């Protein structure tokens, strides 16, 4: 089988700029993960309420809407790799926010850092989609899907793993210092990638980027492609937002000791799930409602069983790994559909639009979750919100069946 992992390895061998881009995001993910550990670790140590912990997830999603608008605009004016470099530089400067928060024990400052990361993430995704569409052949797009899944998972995978080991052993200020170094190295690698990228794409986009996409002019398969990631966000965001609060309820004596390993297990599942797909059959997979809904059911089932583990670490880690192994199959198919069904002139706008809808979907679901968590607690809220979201997604996929 032509697994996505093999497709990615072949593309990495062929394109030096892709290797540099991958290395840049691996180093960037190290710093981002450490920052996430600092933020959630300190919130748990300061005994933040379940509603506030869930609100932290909302702050980590909503600004992505504005970021996608900025990213789409920038992609029309400058080279997409330059957009990535601007985002990395801004991310490094933004580390002053959690530094201030730690100095003054300010919860709002830590929540603000979540918002800044979401804003920069929204800027990044349209640029990445355009980079892959410009730099890779059509038959190499499965590698781009694997790359996006790797980047998505690595945002916290590497850094969270190291952060879990170092948290409470190393000063959080030292962790932020490591983050600064990771950003500097990432910027250097992105500069080298600019020099290796195909000629003509360094100073300006290779092809003109359309300003927007009229919904009425899109085909049914294009509409479905734009809706897959927002559907995943509607189902997945409430569960992921509740994860720190669930850890707090399952193990109140050592919430940090359970929550941080769970975040690492989540990212591990996000990484490995998509890499097991057959790259030659991605278009067919994306059309199969049973596969998509089945993956979402596995995700919800694993989260639903989590409260029954009684805080047993091994069982909880396994369930979260399985949950995100399944959910990121849907993520991979959603990202591939956008790359596959939109042209180079449309893909930045399409990626930005699906990103905005994903943000709105996540924000709405998470906002309801915050309100219910304050009244009913994390466990009861998990069952109510996720079951309702799954029913709505089922109707949506039936309406836009390919």
């Amino acid at each position: 089988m032509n697994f996505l992992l093999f497709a990615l390895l072949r593309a990495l061998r062929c394109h030096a700029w892709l290797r540099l881009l991958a290395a840049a995001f691996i180093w960037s993910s190290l710093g981002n993960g450490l920052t996430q550990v600092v933020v959630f670790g300190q919130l748990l140590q300061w005994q933040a309420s379940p509603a506030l912990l869930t609100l932290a997830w909302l702050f980590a999603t909503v600004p992505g809407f504005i970021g996608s608008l900025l990213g789409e605009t920038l992609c029309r004016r400058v080279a997409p790799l330059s957009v990535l470099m601007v985002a990395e530089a801004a991310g490094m400067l933004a580390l002053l926010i959690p530094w201030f928060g730690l100095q003054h024990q300010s919860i709002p400052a830590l929540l603000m850092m979540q918002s800044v990361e979401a804003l920069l993430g929204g800027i990044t995704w349209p640029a990445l989609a355009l980079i892959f569409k410009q730099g890779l052949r059509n038959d190499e797009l499965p590698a781009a899907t694997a790359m996006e899944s790797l980047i998505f998972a690595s945002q916290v995978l590497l850094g969270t793993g190291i952060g879990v080991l170092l948290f409470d052993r190393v000063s959080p200020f030292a962790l932020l210092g490591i983050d600064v170094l990771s950003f500097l190295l990432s910027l250097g690698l992105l500069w080298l990638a600019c020099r290796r990228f195909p000629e003509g794409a360094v100073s300006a986009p290779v092809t003109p980027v359309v300003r927007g996409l009229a919904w009425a002019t899109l085909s049914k398969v294009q509409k479905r492609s734009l809706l897959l990631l927002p559907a995943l966000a509607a189902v997945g965001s409430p569960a992921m937002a509740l994860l720190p609060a669930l850890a707090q309820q399952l193990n109140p004596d050592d919430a940090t000791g359970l929550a941080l390993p769970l975040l690492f297990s989540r990212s591990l599942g996000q990484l490995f799930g998509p890499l097991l797909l057959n790259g030659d059959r991605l278009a067919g997979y994306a059309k199969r409602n049973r596969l998509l809904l089945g993956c979402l059911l596995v995700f919800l089932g694993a989260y639903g069983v989590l409260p029954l583990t009684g805080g047993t670490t091994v069982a909880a880690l396994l369930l979260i790994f399985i949950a995100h192994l399944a959910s990121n199959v849907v993520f991979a198919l959603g990202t591939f559909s956008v790359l596959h069904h939109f042209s180079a002139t449309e893909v930045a706008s399409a990626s930005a639009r699906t990103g905005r809808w994903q943000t709105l979907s996540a924000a709405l679901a998470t906002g309801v979750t915050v309100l219910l968590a304050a009244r009913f607690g994390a466990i009861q809220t998990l069952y109510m919100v996720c079951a309702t979201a799954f029913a709505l997604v089922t109707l949506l996929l039936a309406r836009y069946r390919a």
Side-chain angles (χ1 to χ4, degrees):
M1 293 179 66
N2 183 23
F3 293 120
L4 285 187
L5 177 60
F6 300 148
L8 177 59
L9 292 175
R10 285 196 298 270
L12 288 172
R13 286 198 300 267
C14 294
H15 303 285
W17 66 266
L18 188 62
R19 295 194 295 271
L20 291 165
L21 183 68
F25 271 98
I26 288 173
W27 281 107
S28 179
S29 70
L30 169 63
N32 288 336
L34 289 175
T35 303
Q36 290 292 317
V37 169
V38 170
V39 169
F40 281 105
Q42 290 301 136
L43 289 175
L44 289 166
Q45 284 196 344
W46 294 343
Q47 297 182 338
S49 67
L52 186 59
L53 290 171
T54 308
L55 188 64
W57 177 264
L58 189 63
F59 277 97
T61 54
V62 173
F65 184 95
I66 300 174
S68 69
L69 290 172
L70 292 174
E72 185 178 354
T73 300
L74 288 172
C75 284
R76 290 197 296 267
R77 300 181 179 182
V78 297
L81 274 167
S82 298
V83 175
L84 296 186
M85 294 182 68
V86 170
E88 289 294 289
M92 182 173 63
L93 292 175
L95 292 177
L96 292 171
I97 299 173
W99 179 85
F100 173 86
L102 292 172
Q103 284 276 48
H104 300 279
Q105 292 193 0
S106 171
I107 289 179
L110 297 185
L111 295 179
M112 187 184 300
M113 184 60 197
Q114 295 288 93
S115 298
V116 172
E117 287 191 346
L119 176 72
L120 297 177
I123 292 174
T124 297
W125 287 110
L128 271 177
L130 187 55
I131 288 169
F132 292 141
K133 197 71 175 181
Q134 290 178 350
L136 298 175
R137 303 186 307 270
N138 285 336
D139 62 328
E140 293 177 320
L141 289 181
T145 303
M147 185 71 173
E148 289 205 20
S149 299
L150 176 65
I151 292 170
F152 178 80
S154 295
Q155 291 295 324
V156 288
L157 176 61
L158 182 60
T160 301
I162 296 175
V164 168
L165 295 175
L166 296 181
F167 194 76
D168 280 338
R169 295 181 177 87
V170 175
S171 164
F173 294 100
L175 295 180
L176 292 180
I178 297 173
D179 197 353
V180 171
L181 294 177
S182 73
F183 273 115
L184 288 173
L185 185 54
S186 177
L187 279 169
L189 291 167
L190 286 174
W191 180 77
L192 291 174
C194 282
R195 295 173 61 88
R196 297 292 188 92
F197 203 64
E199 186 177 354
V202 176
S203 59
V206 172
T207 51
V209 178
V210 298
R211 183 171 294 275
L213 299 171
W215 180 258
T217 64
L218 300 179
S219 66
K220 191 173 184 179
V221 70
Q222 287 178 319
K223 293 177 180 178
R224 179 184 172 89
S225 299
L226 293 176
L227 292 171
L228 285 180
L229 293 183
L232 173 62
V235 175
S237 294
M240 289 188 286
L242 286 168
L243 189 56
L246 286 170
Q248 195 177 56
Q249 287 193 228
L250 291 172
N251 194 356
D253 295 330
D254 187 18
T256 306
L258 179 60
L260 295 182
L262 286 179
L263 291 175
F264 176 76
S265 183
R266 181 185 79 182
S267 301
L268 201 63
Q270 291 171 338
L271 172 63
F272 283 105
L275 298 182
L276 300 179
L277 290 171
N278 185 340
D280 295 331
R281 302 179 63 183
L282 290 184
Y285 290 150
K287 297 178 181 178
R288 294 167 56 181
N289 281 358
R290 289 184 180 180
L291 173 63
L292 297 171
L293 293 174
C295 288
L296 294 178
L297 271 179
V298 170
F299 172 84
L300 293 178
Y303 266 90
V305 175
L306 184 62
L308 305 180
T309 62
T312 304
T313 302
V314 174
L317 292 175
L318 181 61
L319 285 170
I320 294 302
F321 175 78
I322 292 172
H324 289 276
L325 198 74
S327 70
N328 262 50
V329 168
V330 181
F331 175 83
L333 296 177
T335 55
F336 172 80
S337 293
V338 172
L339 290 172
H340 181 67
H341 293 296
F342 290 90
S343 68
T345 61
E346 300 169 329
V347 72
S349 292
S351 179
R353 176 176 291 192
T354 193
R356 288 194 291 273
W357 290 355
Q358 185 179 5
T359 298
L360 290 175
S361 177
L364 178 61
T366 306
V368 173
T369 302
V370 170
L371 295 175
L372 294 178
R375 181 173 181 180
F376 298 104
I379 296 175
Q380 292 83 353
T381 300
L382 174 70
Y383 294 138
M384 288 188 292
V385 177
C386 291
T388 303
F390 180 78
L392 293 175
V393 168
T394 301
L395 294 175
L396 182 68
L397 290 181
R399 168 67 177 81
Y400 290 99
R401 183 188 299 274

